[in-house]
Amino acid sequence: MRFYVKYFNIIRKRGVFRKVSGLDIINIILVFVSGVCTFVSIKSALKSNSYYNKSKNLFTYKDVSIAYKECQTIIDTFSELYYLANKNETIGKNVDKLVAEYGKKMKKSLNEIRAKTYEKDFKQVKEYLEDNENEIEEYIDGLISGNYVEDNLFKKNKDAKICEKNIKRVQELIKDRVDTLSESLK
């Protein structure tokens, strides 16, 4: 703006102001309008970029929340399995079928956790699942195939406790990430 004012003052002092054509003034006005438009465009682009980052974090938050709920589903399923170890709870129930259903439910949840975790955000979770994946996966496959049912009762063993403990650790890691993302969305 100062440049244009100085330009007009120089023209007035020299007495050339009357010789300036209308096209030159229009040209100066158009340059000024162009500068304003550029400023508004840059401001809008920065605002758009911040909205994009927030929406990306929101999408990540949604996936992480789903993974957290699936961890909770697996932990709840372990609680339901432990009820089947009590003789009073299994009267009139087909424990083999129930344990296989719980195993399928756990496998589905574990697959959902894997699908909803991002490589760069959840390296710890991925590494933890991969380190213990064989143990967890084998245990769940054993549930589905009926390896842990004896005399119409669910057999509690240390593998069940280890798998439940590992899933709880994964859930804690995911919960930390959920908390971090929720803070960044505020």
Side-chain angles (χ1 to χ4, degrees):
M1 183 73 180
R2 290 181 184 172
F3 172 75
Y4 298 116
V5 172
K6 286 181 182 179
Y7 182 70
F8 280 114
N9 287 337
I10 291 171
I11 292 173
R12 276 193 217 149
K13 285 179 184 176
R14 292 184 182 170
V16 186
F17 188 70
R18 294 183 186 170
K19 294 181 185 177
V20 175
S21 68
L23 291 176
D24 289 338
I25 293 174
I26 291 175
N27 218 3
I28 291 171
I29 291 171
L30 289 176
V31 167
F32 177 74
V33 169
S34 174
V36 170
C37 289
T38 302
F39 174 75
V40 170
S41 176
I42 290 171
K43 185 179 175 185
S44 298
L46 292 173
K47 200 175 205 181
S48 173
N49 192 29
S50 71
Y51 287 140
Y52 170 75
N53 288 335
K54 281 184 181 182
S55 76
K56 189 168 74 170
N57 284 343
L58 187 62
F59 186 73
T60 304
Y61 179 78
K62 175 193 70 94
D63 285 345
V64 172
S65 296
I66 290 171
Y68 179 78
K69 289 176 185 175
E70 293 299 329
C71 283
Q72 189 61 45
T73 300
I74 293 175
I75 292 169
D76 292 344
T77 305
F78 272 112
S79 300
E80 293 170 9
L81 279 172
Y82 295 150
Y83 282 119
L84 297 178
N86 186 357
K87 242 183 190 180
N88 295 335
E89 295 292 328
T90 61
I91 296 174
K93 295 181 181 176
N94 185 353
V95 175
D96 286 331
K97 185 178 178 184
L98 286 174
V99 169
E101 286 176 12
Y102 291 151
K104 289 176 185 174
K105 183 178 178 182
M106 291 168 78
K107 189 168 192 135
K108 179 183 172 202
S109 293
L110 191 61
N111 290 336
E112 191 71 22
I113 291 169
R114 283 192 201 117
K116 297 298 181 182
T117 55
Y118 293 101
E119 203 60 45
K120 69 175 188 174
D121 292 335
F122 293 102
K123 279 190 175 180
Q124 292 176 336
V125 173
K126 281 278 195 188
E127 288 173 10
Y128 195 78
L129 279 176
E130 288 171 3
D131 287 344
N132 297 302
E133 181 179 347
N134 293 336
E135 213 172 281
I136 294 171
E137 194 74 31
E138 286 176 14
Y139 184 77
I140 291 174
D141 288 340
L143 289 174
I144 294 170
S145 64
N147 294 346
Y148 297 103
V149 176
E150 191 175 278
D151 297 330
N152 205 31
L153 288 175
F154 172 70
K155 289 190 302 187
K156 277 189 198 178
N157 56 13
K158 68 177 184 174
D159 290 340
K161 291 292 183 185
I162 290 171
C163 289
E164 184 178 21
K165 182 179 167 186
N166 290 338
I167 293 295
K168 283 183 180 179
R169 286 183 180 165
V170 168
Q171 186 183 28
E172 289 172 9
L173 291 172
I174 291 174
K175 184 172 180 4
D176 291 341
R177 183 63 177 152
V178 166
D179 293 341
T180 304
L181 284 171
S182 68
E183 289 297 319
S184 73
L185 291 174
K186 289 182 181 178

